Amino acid sequence: GNQIQYIFDIFDDYIDVNFSYKGYFSNPNSAWLSSSDINISPDSEFIGSELGDYVLAIGLFPNRSFSLDALGYQYYSGAEGDIFLNVNSAAQDYGYEPGNAGFSLLLHEIGHALGLKHPHDDGGTGHPTFVQSGIGGFDTDWLTVMSYDDDYNWNDNFWDPATPMILDVIALQYLYGANLSTNAGDSTLQFADDANYYQTV
């Protein structure tokens, strides 16, 4: 729970959105009825039975028709923008500190909930892929947390993004505007010598 709030705070540093925690609910529909827009649910049935336990998580775009298609008969009011984490998947064994695969997974799924798609597909909306746009070489996780390409995919505990990456920031600021108060004054930034992750400043 604390890491999820921390990640929302990270997104808040880049974009003009004020995230606020609404609490725990028995199901995502009751959360939506209590004015929660992005609901994160552990899932032990839907993902595994419909897609297979190799799927780590599902983040739904903030788009009703996409969510209807993705969930089918299991659609519920307010499903758009929700996230399901597969408790039967390999993600159970990931680390969830910055730079670890679990932390990057949460960044990725929250990216979907905010409207970001994968670079390698059209997001179900007909948008061009990176290859179709002539920027296929940018499809890597140190440029976007939405990429499946990881130069260090042999290591689940180091060298994953710890913030949205530069292409994510550009897209999110296009959608939501920039948080102009972040580093608005004089700022001193220092990276630890042993920081094994990617970060966008």
Side-chain angles (χ1 to χ4, degrees):
N2 289 340
Q3 287 301 76
I4 292 172
Q5 183 59 56
Y6 175 53
I7 292 171
F8 277 111
D9 291 343
I10 290 171
F11 276 97
D12 189 42
D13 284 342
Y14 297 95
I15 58 177
D16 189 21
V17 174
N18 294 311
F19 297 105
S20 61
Y21 175 68
K22 296 291 186 181
Y24 285 95
F25 298 88
S26 59
N27 60 67
N29 191 47
S30 63
W32 177 76
L33 292 171
S34 296
S35 75
S36 179
D37 288 329
I38 298 175
N39 302 300
I40 302 175
S41 303
D43 179 81
S44 62
E45 296 180 15
F46 171 68
I47 297 176
S49 64
E50 296 292 322
L51 301 175
D53 282 335
Y54 67 92
V55 177
L56 306 177
I58 296 174
L60 300 174
F61 296 127
N63 177 288
R64 187 174 187 273
S65 62
F66 179 89
S67 299
L68 271 166
D69 288 342
L71 294 180
Y73 71 92
Q74 299 207 24
Y75 176 82
Y76 53 90
S77 296
E80 50 272 17
D82 283 359
I83 297 167
F84 297 91
L85 304 174
N86 188 356
V87 300
N88 296 324
S89 74
Q92 280 294 95
D93 298 321
Y94 288 172
Y96 283 83
E97 294 301 316
N100 289 186
F103 196 89
S104 182
L105 173 67
L106 292 173
L107 285 168
H108 178 100
E109 300 307 336
I110 292 171
H112 281 316
L114 293 173
L116 300 182
K117 72 174 192 68
H118 302 131
H120 61 267
D121 64 36
D122 69 359
T125 58
H127 286 83
T129 67
F130 276 25
V131 169
Q132 291 168 336
S133 299
I135 56 171
F138 289 0
D139 185 358
T140 186
D141 69 344
W142 49 270
L143 290 174
T144 169
V145 298
M146 306 314 294
S147 178
Y148 281 11
D149 292 336
D150 179 356
D151 292 341
Y152 292 89
N153 61 7
W154 53 271
N155 191 325
D156 287 341
N157 294 314
F158 300 111
W159 300 112
D160 280 310
T163 67
M165 301 311 294
I166 187 63
L167 297 179
D168 307 314
V169 172
I170 291 168
L172 289 167
Q173 289 184 348
Y174 171 80
L175 293 171
Y176 298 97
N179 183 342
L180 299 179
S181 66
T182 299
N183 295 331
D186 294 338
S187 301
T188 300
L189 304 170
Q190 182 173 351
F191 288 90
D193 291 337
D194 61 349
N196 297 316
Y197 52 77
Y198 306 126
Q199 186 173 4
T200 302
V201 176

